[in-house]
Amino acid sequence: MTGRVIVITSGKGGVGKTTTNANIGTALARAGKKVVMVDTDLGLRNLDLLLGLENRIVYTIVDVVEERCKLKQALVKDKKNPNLCLLAAAQTRDKSAVTEEQLKDICDQLKEKFDFVLVDCPAGIEQGFQNAVAGASEAIVVTTPEMSAVRDADRIIGLLEAKEEIKSYKLLINRYRPNMAASKDMMSKDDVVEILSAELLGIIPEDTGIITSTNKGEPIVNDDDSLAGRAYRNVAQRIIGEDVPLIDFEEEAKLTNKIKKFFSKFLNKGKEN
Amino acid sequence: MADNIFAEIYNKILGFFGQNVKDESKNTAVNRLRLVLMQDRTNLTPEIMNRMRTELIAVLSKYVELDKEALDLNIGQEGEQMALMLSIPVIRAKDEAEIEEAIKKEEEAKKASDDAEDETVEAEDTEDEEENSEDASEESSEINEEENKENEENTEETTEETSEPSEEQYSEEEPTSPPEETKVDESVKKSIPKIEKHKKEENTEE
């Protein structure tokens, strides 16, 4: 078996790389794929928290590299889904503890046993990014419809295009606020796609459920009622190769905006009277 | 008060039918982003932009008297393409005689700088023979480096330096502009007497 190695990156921090990784990974595993997530954010690991696996980690990627354990021993199985594994980052070391070659070697070994290897990239464009990208042949660029995030995504895309090993990259717009996009108070998905001229993989709406799901250590894709969860499941389907249409959040938002405005008009009138 | 209420209701009705009355801040974001990405994607740093500006002024000054302070050079967008936006406030167009004189001066300066380069090589060759030429050769190698780097710039600016008094004022005005430009000017000022010096040496050798 030769799996696909996909790096999830963004340039800017805080746009939702790790959340995206946890959710896409879980969704792919739910769809029956064998998935391993590799956290390369040495010193700032968080993927374990989002998956609720923080208490199960014995060995980390640095232990594998420094041969204190076998690769297989360091893989932590998910609580719910046996298809899903995590290779955690070391919390006590910095980015220099692992080299590009070592990461590439780990990815090469993992893709023999898994359908998908999802590499969680640290923020920034320094060595941590270079390491994370080293073993991957595909990339997901996570951005939000904010200027700073889009600018950093553009920089990352430039760097990815310069890498021969990266055969394709796709854009994921996270924390989308359809209400604000509909009222033109925020860039729309079309604006972002046009500015970055990249292929769109999906749009994840801003959802307070993400915070509560992180609190519980349970990715939101497991919540069948959540809109963000549905969007993440759609993204996973697209990665597998199925043609799933984008959810048109804006149309829904426009309608609710209109209804809200209509009612607020009468409410305000009532107050003035 | 009543006006405000009516305006508000009017806006709300418009809003209900999907028309936007307020400022759309996302357009500002999109435009600002486009501009900043264009600068990011090219390697046109502020230093390079400044240099381009200086060189443009030097070229244009041959033909028109322009307001150097107000000259504006920016990166912008023309449809899908990146565009350099140049706005040049012209004080007055120069007459034919002035233009011809400027071009002549430029050609002379070019010649002079070419000679100086040849000189440099010779000076270096004869370094051992002539004790006096030691200083000169050091200096001339300096010139050589500068001129290799900034050949065009030098020749154009030399024209201005040596031509009419109005042109000289330009170089005196320079301190208001970035330090890089003044550096160039200084080097040019230095290089002129050196070139003359070499010519004299050549004569005596012959």
mmCIF file with all atom_site columns, all heavy atoms in Angstrom, chain A residues 147 150-151 154 183-185 191 194-195 258 268, chain B residues 12 16 22 24-26 32-34 36-37 40-41:
data_model
loop_
_atom_site.group_PDB
_atom_site.id
_atom_site.type_symbol
_atom_site.label_atom_id
_atom_site.label_alt_id
_atom_site.label_comp_id
_atom_site.label_asym_id
_atom_site.label_entity_id
_atom_site.label_seq_id
_atom_site.pdbx_PDB_ins_code
_atom_site.Cartn_x
_atom_site.Cartn_y
_atom_site.Cartn_z
_atom_site.occupancy
_atom_site.B_iso_or_equiv
_atom_site.pdbx_formal_charge
_atom_site.auth_seq_id
_atom_site.auth_comp_id
_atom_site.auth_asym_id
_atom_site.auth_atom_id
_atom_site.pdbx_PDB_model_num
ATOM 1   N N   . MET A 1 147 ? -7.385  39.600 6.103  1.00 0.00 ? 147 MET A N   1
ATOM 2   C CA  . MET A 1 147 ? -6.264  40.044 5.272  1.00 0.00 ? 147 MET A CA  1
ATOM 3   C C   . MET A 1 147 ? -4.949  39.375 5.653  1.00 0.00 ? 147 MET A C   1
ATOM 4   O O   . MET A 1 147 ? -4.215  38.900 4.794  1.00 0.00 ? 147 MET A O   1
ATOM 5   C CB  . MET A 1 147 ? -6.104  41.559 5.383  1.00 0.00 ? 147 MET A CB  1
ATOM 6   C CG  . MET A 1 147 ? -7.226  42.320 4.758  1.00 0.00 ? 147 MET A CG  1
ATOM 7   S SD  . MET A 1 147 ? -6.931  44.072 4.896  1.00 0.00 ? 147 MET A SD  1
ATOM 8   C CE  . MET A 1 147 ? -5.532  44.255 3.821  1.00 0.00 ? 147 MET A CE  1
ATOM 9   N N   . VAL A 1 150 ? -4.799  35.705 4.642  1.00 0.00 ? 150 VAL A N   1
ATOM 10  C CA  . VAL A 1 150 ? -4.733  35.524 3.185  1.00 0.00 ? 150 VAL A CA  1
ATOM 11  C C   . VAL A 1 150 ? -3.338  35.881 2.676  1.00 0.00 ? 150 VAL A C   1
ATOM 12  O O   . VAL A 1 150 ? -2.768  35.184 1.839  1.00 0.00 ? 150 VAL A O   1
ATOM 13  C CB  . VAL A 1 150 ? -5.807  36.384 2.475  1.00 0.00 ? 150 VAL A CB  1
ATOM 14  C CG1 . VAL A 1 150 ? -5.646  36.314 0.965  1.00 0.00 ? 150 VAL A CG1 1
ATOM 15  C CG2 . VAL A 1 150 ? -7.200  35.922 2.867  1.00 0.00 ? 150 VAL A CG2 1
ATOM 16  N N   . ARG A 1 151 ? -2.774  36.942 3.229  1.00 0.00 ? 151 ARG A N   1
ATOM 17  C CA  . ARG A 1 151 ? -1.435  37.344 2.817  1.00 0.00 ? 151 ARG A CA  1
ATOM 18  C C   . ARG A 1 151 ? -0.428  36.230 3.132  1.00 0.00 ? 151 ARG A C   1
ATOM 19  O O   . ARG A 1 151 ? 0.415   35.886 2.305  1.00 0.00 ? 151 ARG A O   1
ATOM 20  C CB  . ARG A 1 151 ? -1.029  38.622 3.543  1.00 0.00 ? 151 ARG A CB  1
ATOM 21  C CG  . ARG A 1 151 ? 0.294   39.157 3.079  1.00 0.00 ? 151 ARG A CG  1
ATOM 22  C CD  . ARG A 1 151 ? 0.768   40.273 3.954  1.00 0.00 ? 151 ARG A CD  1
ATOM 23  N NE  . ARG A 1 151 ? 1.800   41.046 3.279  1.00 0.00 ? 151 ARG A NE  1
ATOM 24  C CZ  . ARG A 1 151 ? 2.351   42.125 3.798  1.00 0.00 ? 151 ARG A CZ  1
ATOM 25  N NH1 . ARG A 1 151 ? 1.955   42.583 4.953  1.00 0.00 ? 151 ARG A NH1 1
ATOM 26  N NH2 . ARG A 1 151 ? 3.294   42.759 3.152  1.00 0.00 ? 151 ARG A NH2 1
ATOM 27  N N   . ASP A 1 154 ? -0.746  33.342 0.843  1.00 0.00 ? 154 ASP A N   1
ATOM 28  C CA  . ASP A 1 154 ? -0.127  33.622 -0.459 1.00 0.00 ? 154 ASP A CA  1
ATOM 29  C C   . ASP A 1 154 ? 1.369   33.326 -0.421 1.00 0.00 ? 154 ASP A C   1
ATOM 30  O O   . ASP A 1 154 ? 1.929   32.762 -1.361 1.00 0.00 ? 154 ASP A O   1
ATOM 31  C CB  . ASP A 1 154 ? -0.353  35.090 -0.836 1.00 0.00 ? 154 ASP A CB  1
ATOM 32  C CG  . ASP A 1 154 ? 0.133   35.402 -2.238 1.00 0.00 ? 154 ASP A CG  1
ATOM 33  O OD1 . ASP A 1 154 ? -0.550  34.997 -3.190 1.00 0.00 ? 154 ASP A OD1 1
ATOM 34  O OD2 . ASP A 1 154 ? 1.207   36.013 -2.377 1.00 0.00 ? 154 ASP A OD2 1
ATOM 35  N N   . SER A 1 183 ? -23.278 40.400 3.919  1.00 0.00 ? 183 SER A N   1
ATOM 36  C CA  . SER A 1 183 ? -23.482 41.849 4.065  1.00 0.00 ? 183 SER A CA  1
ATOM 37  C C   . SER A 1 183 ? -22.246 42.635 3.630  1.00 0.00 ? 183 SER A C   1
ATOM 38  O O   . SER A 1 183 ? -22.148 43.835 3.854  1.00 0.00 ? 183 SER A O   1
ATOM 39  C CB  . SER A 1 183 ? -23.844 42.178 5.510  1.00 0.00 ? 183 SER A CB  1
ATOM 40  O OG  . SER A 1 183 ? -22.781 41.803 6.365  1.00 0.00 ? 183 SER A OG  1
ATOM 41  N N   . LYS A 1 184 ? -21.287 41.943 3.041  1.00 0.00 ? 184 LYS A N   1
ATOM 42  C CA  . LYS A 1 184 ? -20.055 42.544 2.509  1.00 0.00 ? 184 LYS A CA  1
ATOM 43  C C   . LYS A 1 184 ? -19.237 43.263 3.575  1.00 0.00 ? 184 LYS A C   1
ATOM 44  O O   . LYS A 1 184 ? -18.587 44.265 3.322  1.00 0.00 ? 184 LYS A O   1
ATOM 45  C CB  . LYS A 1 184 ? -20.376 43.481 1.343  1.00 0.00 ? 184 LYS A CB  1
ATOM 46  C CG  . LYS A 1 184 ? -21.159 42.759 0.265  1.00 0.00 ? 184 LYS A CG  1
ATOM 47  C CD  . LYS A 1 184 ? -21.032 43.385 -1.086 1.00 0.00 ? 184 LYS A CD  1
ATOM 48  C CE  . LYS A 1 184 ? -21.640 42.456 -2.126 1.00 0.00 ? 184 LYS A CE  1
ATOM 49  N NZ  . LYS A 1 184 ? -21.798 43.061 -3.421 1.00 0.00 ? 184 LYS A NZ  1
ATOM 50  N N   . ASP A 1 185 ? -19.284 42.741 4.775  1.00 0.00 ? 185 ASP A N   1
ATOM 51  C CA  . ASP A 1 185 ? -18.427 43.245 5.839  1.00 0.00 ? 185 ASP A CA  1
ATOM 52  C C   . ASP A 1 185 ? -17.166 42.402 5.957  1.00 0.00 ? 185 ASP A C   1
ATOM 53  O O   . ASP A 1 185 ? -16.305 42.669 6.781  1.00 0.00 ? 185 ASP A O   1
ATOM 54  C CB  . ASP A 1 185 ? -19.170 43.221 7.179  1.00 0.00 ? 185 ASP A CB  1
ATOM 55  C CG  . ASP A 1 185 ? -20.255 44.271 7.208  1.00 0.00 ? 185 ASP A CG  1
ATOM 56  O OD1 . ASP A 1 185 ? -20.003 45.369 6.693  1.00 0.00 ? 185 ASP A OD1 1
ATOM 57  O OD2 . ASP A 1 185 ? -21.356 43.993 7.721  1.00 0.00 ? 185 ASP A OD2 1
ATOM 58  N N   . ASP A 1 191 ? -13.838 36.048 -3.200 1.00 0.00 ? 191 ASP A N   1
ATOM 59  C CA  . ASP A 1 191 ? -12.738 37.017 -3.108 1.00 0.00 ? 191 ASP A CA  1
ATOM 60  C C   . ASP A 1 191 ? -11.429 36.314 -2.778 1.00 0.00 ? 191 ASP A C   1
ATOM 61  O O   . ASP A 1 191 ? -10.405 36.549 -3.415 1.00 0.00 ? 191 ASP A O   1
ATOM 62  C CB  . ASP A 1 191 ? -13.033 38.063 -2.018 1.00 0.00 ? 191 ASP A CB  1
ATOM 63  C CG  . ASP A 1 191 ? -14.201 38.958 -2.380 1.00 0.00 ? 191 ASP A CG  1
ATOM 64  O OD1 . ASP A 1 191 ? -14.344 39.269 -3.567 1.00 0.00 ? 191 ASP A OD1 1
ATOM 65  O OD2 . ASP A 1 191 ? -14.967 39.321 -1.469 1.00 0.00 ? 191 ASP A OD2 1
ATOM 66  N N   . GLU A 1 194 ? -10.198 34.107 -5.588 1.00 0.00 ? 194 GLU A N   1
ATOM 67  C CA  . GLU A 1 194 ? -9.710  34.895 -6.709 1.00 0.00 ? 194 GLU A CA  1
ATOM 68  C C   . GLU A 1 194 ? -8.337  35.500 -6.397 1.00 0.00 ? 194 GLU A C   1
ATOM 69  O O   . GLU A 1 194 ? -7.422  35.457 -7.218 1.00 0.00 ? 194 GLU A O   1
ATOM 70  C CB  . GLU A 1 194 ? -10.717 36.001 -7.039 1.00 0.00 ? 194 GLU A CB  1
ATOM 71  C CG  . GLU A 1 194 ? -10.501 36.612 -8.417 1.00 0.00 ? 194 GLU A CG  1
ATOM 72  C CD  . GLU A 1 194 ? -11.020 38.021 -8.490 1.00 0.00 ? 194 GLU A CD  1
ATOM 73  O OE1 . GLU A 1 194 ? -12.146 38.262 -8.006 1.00 0.00 ? 194 GLU A OE1 1
ATOM 74  O OE2 . GLU A 1 194 ? -10.293 38.883 -9.004 1.00 0.00 ? 194 GLU A OE2 1
ATOM 75  N N   . ILE A 1 195 ? -8.207  36.032 -5.188 1.00 0.00 ? 195 ILE A N   1
ATOM 76  C CA  . ILE A 1 195 ? -6.944  36.675 -4.815 1.00 0.00 ? 195 ILE A CA  1
ATOM 77  C C   . ILE A 1 195 ? -5.804  35.657 -4.802 1.00 0.00 ? 195 ILE A C   1
ATOM 78  O O   . ILE A 1 195 ? -4.709  35.925 -5.283 1.00 0.00 ? 195 ILE A O   1
ATOM 79  C CB  . ILE A 1 195 ? -7.079  37.367 -3.443 1.00 0.00 ? 195 ILE A CB  1
ATOM 80  C CG1 . ILE A 1 195 ? -7.902  38.650 -3.603 1.00 0.00 ? 195 ILE A CG1 1
ATOM 81  C CG2 . ILE A 1 195 ? -5.716  37.697 -2.844 1.00 0.00 ? 195 ILE A CG2 1
ATOM 82  C CD1 . ILE A 1 195 ? -8.292  39.301 -2.313 1.00 0.00 ? 195 ILE A CD1 1
ATOM 83  N N   . LYS A 1 258 ? -32.095 38.821 5.964  1.00 0.00 ? 258 LYS A N   1
ATOM 84  C CA  . LYS A 1 258 ? -33.287 39.560 5.536  1.00 0.00 ? 258 LYS A CA  1
ATOM 85  C C   . LYS A 1 258 ? -34.397 39.424 6.565  1.00 0.00 ? 258 LYS A C   1
ATOM 86  O O   . LYS A 1 258 ? -35.068 40.397 6.918  1.00 0.00 ? 258 LYS A O   1
ATOM 87  C CB  . LYS A 1 258 ? -33.759 39.057 4.171  1.00 0.00 ? 258 LYS A CB  1
ATOM 88  C CG  . LYS A 1 258 ? -33.012 39.707 3.038  1.00 0.00 ? 258 LYS A CG  1
ATOM 89  C CD  . LYS A 1 258 ? -33.480 39.167 1.710  1.00 0.00 ? 258 LYS A CD  1
ATOM 90  C CE  . LYS A 1 258 ? -32.562 39.659 0.604  1.00 0.00 ? 258 LYS A CE  1
ATOM 91  N NZ  . LYS A 1 258 ? -32.869 39.034 -0.680 1.00 0.00 ? 258 LYS A NZ  1
ATOM 92  N N   . ASN A 1 268 ? -37.523 47.895 16.251 1.00 0.00 ? 268 ASN A N   1
ATOM 93  C CA  . ASN A 1 268 ? -37.029 49.256 16.474 1.00 0.00 ? 268 ASN A CA  1
ATOM 94  C C   . ASN A 1 268 ? -38.176 50.247 16.480 1.00 0.00 ? 268 ASN A C   1
ATOM 95  O O   . ASN A 1 268 ? -38.222 51.170 17.283 1.00 0.00 ? 268 ASN A O   1
ATOM 96  C CB  . ASN A 1 268 ? -36.033 49.647 15.379 1.00 0.00 ? 268 ASN A CB  1
ATOM 97  C CG  . ASN A 1 268 ? -34.693 48.962 15.606 1.00 0.00 ? 268 ASN A CG  1
ATOM 98  O OD1 . ASN A 1 268 ? -34.462 48.427 16.687 1.00 0.00 ? 268 ASN A OD1 1
ATOM 99  N ND2 . ASN A 1 268 ? -33.842 48.980 14.611 1.00 0.00 ? 268 ASN A ND2 1
ATOM 100 N N   . LYS B 2 12  ? -33.295 50.487 5.754  1.00 0.00 ? 12  LYS B N   1
ATOM 101 C CA  . LYS B 2 12  ? -33.693 49.127 6.101  1.00 0.00 ? 12  LYS B CA  1
ATOM 102 C C   . LYS B 2 12  ? -34.496 48.490 4.972  1.00 0.00 ? 12  LYS B C   1
ATOM 103 O O   . LYS B 2 12  ? -34.333 47.301 4.679  1.00 0.00 ? 12  LYS B O   1
ATOM 104 C CB  . LYS B 2 12  ? -34.500 49.124 7.396  1.00 0.00 ? 12  LYS B CB  1
ATOM 105 C CG  . LYS B 2 12  ? -33.558 48.965 8.585  1.00 0.00 ? 12  LYS B CG  1
ATOM 106 C CD  . LYS B 2 12  ? -34.250 49.049 9.888  1.00 0.00 ? 12  LYS B CD  1
ATOM 107 C CE  . LYS B 2 12  ? -33.191 49.046 10.988 1.00 0.00 ? 12  LYS B CE  1
ATOM 108 N NZ  . LYS B 2 12  ? -33.651 49.736 12.178 1.00 0.00 ? 12  LYS B NZ  1
ATOM 109 N N   . PHE B 2 16  ? -33.450 45.350 2.849  1.00 0.00 ? 16  PHE B N   1
ATOM 110 C CA  . PHE B 2 16  ? -34.320 44.191 2.720  1.00 0.00 ? 16  PHE B CA  1
ATOM 111 C C   . PHE B 2 16  ? -34.343 43.681 1.290  1.00 0.00 ? 16  PHE B C   1
ATOM 112 O O   . PHE B 2 16  ? -34.380 42.484 1.029  1.00 0.00 ? 16  PHE B O   1
ATOM 113 C CB  . PHE B 2 16  ? -35.736 44.567 3.171  1.00 0.00 ? 16  PHE B CB  1
ATOM 114 C CG  . PHE B 2 16  ? -36.677 43.405 3.131  1.00 0.00 ? 16  PHE B CG  1
ATOM 115 C CD1 . PHE B 2 16  ? -36.619 42.426 4.113  1.00 0.00 ? 16  PHE B CD1 1
ATOM 116 C CD2 . PHE B 2 16  ? -37.603 43.269 2.112  1.00 0.00 ? 16  PHE B CD2 1
ATOM 117 C CE1 . PHE B 2 16  ? -37.465 41.339 4.075  1.00 0.00 ? 16  PHE B CE1 1
ATOM 118 C CE2 . PHE B 2 16  ? -38.453 42.178 2.072  1.00 0.00 ? 16  PHE B CE2 1
ATOM 119 C CZ  . PHE B 2 16  ? -38.397 41.222 3.050  1.00 0.00 ? 16  PHE B CZ  1
ATOM 120 N N   . LYS B 2 22  ? -24.542 51.199 3.062  1.00 0.00 ? 22  LYS B N   1
ATOM 121 C CA  . LYS B 2 22  ? -23.370 51.536 3.888  1.00 0.00 ? 22  LYS B CA  1
ATOM 122 C C   . LYS B 2 22  ? -22.059 51.225 3.166  1.00 0.00 ? 22  LYS B C   1
ATOM 123 O O   . LYS B 2 22  ? -22.050 50.628 2.098  1.00 0.00 ? 22  LYS B O   1
ATOM 124 C CB  . LYS B 2 22  ? -23.459 50.768 5.188  1.00 0.00 ? 22  LYS B CB  1
ATOM 125 C CG  . LYS B 2 22  ? -23.401 49.275 4.925  1.00 0.00 ? 22  LYS B CG  1
ATOM 126 C CD  . LYS B 2 22  ? -23.568 48.515 6.207  1.00 0.00 ? 22  LYS B CD  1
ATOM 127 C CE  . LYS B 2 22  ? -23.899 47.081 5.936  1.00 0.00 ? 22  LYS B CE  1
ATOM 128 N NZ  . LYS B 2 22  ? -22.914 46.145 5.820  1.00 0.00 ? 22  LYS B NZ  1
ATOM 129 N N   . GLU B 2 24  ? -18.838 49.291 2.219  1.00 0.00 ? 24  GLU B N   1
ATOM 130 C CA  . GLU B 2 24  ? -18.532 47.864 2.218  1.00 0.00 ? 24  GLU B CA  1
ATOM 131 C C   . GLU B 2 24  ? -17.043 47.692 2.497  1.00 0.00 ? 24  GLU B C   1
ATOM 132 O O   . GLU B 2 24  ? -16.215 47.829 1.621  1.00 0.00 ? 24  GLU B O   1
ATOM 133 C CB  . GLU B 2 24  ? -18.922 47.261 0.877  1.00 0.00 ? 24  GLU B CB  1
ATOM 134 C CG  . GLU B 2 24  ? -20.424 47.300 0.690  1.00 0.00 ? 24  GLU B CG  1
ATOM 135 C CD  . GLU B 2 24  ? -20.851 46.885 -0.700 1.00 0.00 ? 24  GLU B CD  1
ATOM 136 O OE1 . GLU B 2 24  ? -19.980 46.668 -1.557 1.00 0.00 ? 24  GLU B OE1 1
ATOM 137 O OE2 . GLU B 2 24  ? -22.064 46.786 -0.907 1.00 0.00 ? 24  GLU B OE2 1
ATOM 138 N N   . SER B 2 25  ? -16.747 47.381 3.747  1.00 0.00 ? 25  SER B N   1
ATOM 139 C CA  . SER B 2 25  ? -15.340 47.353 4.156  1.00 0.00 ? 25  SER B CA  1
ATOM 140 C C   . SER B 2 25  ? -14.587 46.211 3.495  1.00 0.00 ? 25  SER B C   1
ATOM 141 O O   . SER B 2 25  ? -13.374 46.227 3.416  1.00 0.00 ? 25  SER B O   1
ATOM 142 C CB  . SER B 2 25  ? -15.215 47.249 5.666  1.00 0.00 ? 25  SER B CB  1
ATOM 143 O OG  . SER B 2 25  ? -15.572 45.945 6.090  1.00 0.00 ? 25  SER B OG  1
ATOM 144 N N   . LYS B 2 26  ? -15.317 45.230 2.989  1.00 0.00 ? 26  LYS B N   1
ATOM 145 C CA  . LYS B 2 26  ? -14.598 44.113 2.370  1.00 0.00 ? 26  LYS B CA  1
ATOM 146 C C   . LYS B 2 26  ? -13.924 44.551 1.066  1.00 0.00 ? 26  LYS B C   1
ATOM 147 O O   . LYS B 2 26  ? -12.889 44.021 0.703  1.00 0.00 ? 26  LYS B O   1
ATOM 148 C CB  . LYS B 2 26  ? -15.542 42.935 2.139  1.00 0.00 ? 26  LYS B CB  1
ATOM 149 C CG  . LYS B 2 26  ? -16.405 43.046 0.920  1.00 0.00 ? 26  LYS B CG  1
ATOM 150 C CD  . LYS B 2 26  ? -16.173 41.875 -0.014 1.00 0.00 ? 26  LYS B CD  1
ATOM 151 C CE  . LYS B 2 26  ? -16.885 42.102 -1.323 1.00 0.00 ? 26  LYS B CE  1
ATOM 152 N NZ  . LYS B 2 26  ? -16.825 40.983 -2.211 1.00 0.00 ? 26  LYS B NZ  1
ATOM 153 N N   . ARG B 2 32  ? -6.739  46.550 -0.726 1.00 0.00 ? 32  ARG B N   1
ATOM 154 C CA  . ARG B 2 32  ? -5.470  46.674 0.009  1.00 0.00 ? 32  ARG B CA  1
ATOM 155 C C   . ARG B 2 32  ? -4.654  45.396 -0.140 1.00 0.00 ? 32  ARG B C   1
ATOM 156 O O   . ARG B 2 32  ? -3.449  45.433 -0.329 1.00 0.00 ? 32  ARG B O   1
ATOM 157 C CB  . ARG B 2 32  ? -5.743  46.950 1.486  1.00 0.00 ? 32  ARG B CB  1
ATOM 158 C CG  . ARG B 2 32  ? -6.188  48.368 1.744  1.00 0.00 ? 32  ARG B CG  1
ATOM 159 C CD  . ARG B 2 32  ? -6.514  48.563 3.210  1.00 0.00 ? 32  ARG B CD  1
ATOM 160 N NE  . ARG B 2 32  ? -5.368  48.330 4.069  1.00 0.00 ? 32  ARG B NE  1
ATOM 161 C CZ  . ARG B 2 32  ? -5.461  47.928 5.326  1.00 0.00 ? 32  ARG B CZ  1
ATOM 162 N NH1 . ARG B 2 32  ? -6.626  47.691 5.868  1.00 0.00 ? 32  ARG B NH1 1
ATOM 163 N NH2 . ARG B 2 32  ? -4.388  47.756 6.053  1.00 0.00 ? 32  ARG B NH2 1
ATOM 164 N N   . LEU B 2 33  ? -5.358  44.279 -0.062 1.00 0.00 ? 33  LEU B N   1
ATOM 165 C CA  . LEU B 2 33  ? -4.668  42.989 -0.142 1.00 0.00 ? 33  LEU B CA  1
ATOM 166 C C   . LEU B 2 33  ? -4.031  42.778 -1.515 1.00 0.00 ? 33  LEU B C   1
ATOM 167 O O   . LEU B 2 33  ? -2.898  42.320 -1.621 1.00 0.00 ? 33  LEU B O   1
ATOM 168 C CB  . LEU B 2 33  ? -5.665  41.874 0.122  1.00 0.00 ? 33  LEU B CB  1
ATOM 169 C CG  . LEU B 2 33  ? -5.098  40.842 1.056  1.00 0.00 ? 33  LEU B CG  1
ATOM 170 C CD1 . LEU B 2 33  ? -6.046  40.655 2.185  1.00 0.00 ? 33  LEU B CD1 1
ATOM 171 C CD2 . LEU B 2 33  ? -4.862  39.537 0.455  1.00 0.00 ? 33  LEU B CD2 1
ATOM 172 N N   . ARG B 2 34  ? -4.794  43.127 -2.546 1.00 0.00 ? 34  ARG B N   1
ATOM 173 C CA  . ARG B 2 34  ? -4.266  42.964 -3.914 1.00 0.00 ? 34  ARG B CA  1
ATOM 174 C C   . ARG B 2 34  ? -2.955  43.713 -4.055 1.00 0.00 ? 34  ARG B C   1
ATOM 175 O O   . ARG B 2 34  ? -1.987  43.204 -4.600 1.00 0.00 ? 34  ARG B O   1
ATOM 176 C CB  . ARG B 2 34  ? -5.277  43.517 -4.927 1.00 0.00 ? 34  ARG B CB  1
ATOM 177 C CG  . ARG B 2 34  ? -6.432  42.589 -5.154 1.00 0.00 ? 34  ARG B CG  1
ATOM 178 C CD  . ARG B 2 34  ? -6.855  42.600 -6.628 1.00 0.00 ? 34  ARG B CD  1
ATOM 179 N NE  . ARG B 2 34  ? -7.854  41.580 -6.840 1.00 0.00 ? 34  ARG B NE  1
ATOM 180 C CZ  . ARG B 2 34  ? -9.152  41.822 -6.874 1.00 0.00 ? 34  ARG B CZ  1
ATOM 181 N NH1 . ARG B 2 34  ? -9.606  43.055 -6.742 1.00 0.00 ? 34  ARG B NH1 1
ATOM 182 N NH2 . ARG B 2 34  ? -10.008 40.843 -7.058 1.00 0.00 ? 34  ARG B NH2 1
ATOM 183 N N   . VAL B 2 36  ? -0.868  44.808 -1.686 1.00 0.00 ? 36  VAL B N   1
ATOM 184 C CA  . VAL B 2 36  ? 0.229   44.346 -0.838 1.00 0.00 ? 36  VAL B CA  1
ATOM 185 C C   . VAL B 2 36  ? 0.775   43.009 -1.368 1.00 0.00 ? 36  VAL B C   1
ATOM 186 O O   . VAL B 2 36  ? 1.976   42.763 -1.323 1.00 0.00 ? 36  VAL B O   1
ATOM 187 C CB  . VAL B 2 36  ? -0.224  44.274 0.639  1.00 0.00 ? 36  VAL B CB  1
ATOM 188 C CG1 . VAL B 2 36  ? -0.920  42.986 0.961  1.00 0.00 ? 36  VAL B CG1 1
ATOM 189 C CG2 . VAL B 2 36  ? 0.975   44.446 1.565  1.00 0.00 ? 36  VAL B CG2 1
ATOM 190 N N   . LEU B 2 37  ? -0.087  42.190 -1.938 1.00 0.00 ? 37  LEU B N   1
ATOM 191 C CA  . LEU B 2 37  ? 0.370   40.908 -2.494 1.00 0.00 ? 37  LEU B CA  1
ATOM 192 C C   . LEU B 2 37  ? 1.233   41.130 -3.725 1.00 0.00 ? 37  LEU B C   1
ATOM 193 O O   . LEU B 2 37  ? 2.190   40.406 -3.969 1.00 0.00 ? 37  LEU B O   1
ATOM 194 C CB  . LEU B 2 37  ? -0.814  40.007 -2.831 1.00 0.00 ? 37  LEU B CB  1
ATOM 195 C CG  . LEU B 2 37  ? -1.512  39.370 -1.645 1.00 0.00 ? 37  LEU B CG  1
ATOM 196 C CD1 . LEU B 2 37  ? -2.569  38.390 -2.110 1.00 0.00 ? 37  LEU B CD1 1
ATOM 197 C CD2 . LEU B 2 37  ? -0.523  38.676 -0.733 1.00 0.00 ? 37  LEU B CD2 1
ATOM 198 N N   . ASP B 2 40  ? 4.473   41.913 -2.436 1.00 0.00 ? 40  ASP B N   1
ATOM 199 C CA  . ASP B 2 40  ? 5.082   40.705 -1.865 1.00 0.00 ? 40  ASP B CA  1
ATOM 200 C C   . ASP B 2 40  ? 5.610   39.783 -2.958 1.00 0.00 ? 40  ASP B C   1
ATOM 201 O O   . ASP B 2 40  ? 6.682   39.202 -2.832 1.00 0.00 ? 40  ASP B O   1
ATOM 202 C CB  . ASP B 2 40  ? 4.048   39.913 -1.043 1.00 0.00 ? 40  ASP B CB  1
ATOM 203 C CG  . ASP B 2 40  ? 3.707   40.600 0.261  1.00 0.00 ? 40  ASP B CG  1
ATOM 204 O OD1 . ASP B 2 40  ? 4.368   41.608 0.578  1.00 0.00 ? 40  ASP B OD1 1
ATOM 205 O OD2 . ASP B 2 40  ? 2.782   40.141 0.957  1.00 0.00 ? 40  ASP B OD2 1
ATOM 206 N N   . ARG B 2 41  ? 4.828   39.650 -4.017 1.00 0.00 ? 41  ARG B N   1
ATOM 207 C CA  . ARG B 2 41  ? 5.169   38.667 -5.045 1.00 0.00 ? 41  ARG B CA  1
ATOM 208 C C   . ARG B 2 41  ? 6.353   39.127 -5.877 1.00 0.00 ? 41  ARG B C   1
ATOM 209 O O   . ARG B 2 41  ? 7.152   38.317 -6.329 1.00 0.00 ? 41  ARG B O   1
ATOM 210 C CB  . ARG B 2 41  ? 3.951   38.422 -5.956 1.00 0.00 ? 41  ARG B CB  1
ATOM 211 C CG  . ARG B 2 41  ? 2.906   37.541 -5.293 1.00 0.00 ? 41  ARG B CG  1
ATOM 212 C CD  . ARG B 2 41  ? 1.607   37.528 -6.090 1.00 0.00 ? 41  ARG B CD  1
ATOM 213 N NE  . ARG B 2 41  ? 0.541   36.852 -5.368 1.00 0.00 ? 41  ARG B NE  1
ATOM 214 C CZ  . ARG B 2 41  ? -0.732  36.881 -5.747 1.00 0.00 ? 41  ARG B CZ  1
ATOM 215 N NH1 . ARG B 2 41  ? -1.088  37.551 -6.823 1.00 0.00 ? 41  ARG B NH1 1
ATOM 216 N NH2 . ARG B 2 41  ? -1.636  36.253 -5.041 1.00 0.00 ? 41  ARG B NH2 1
#
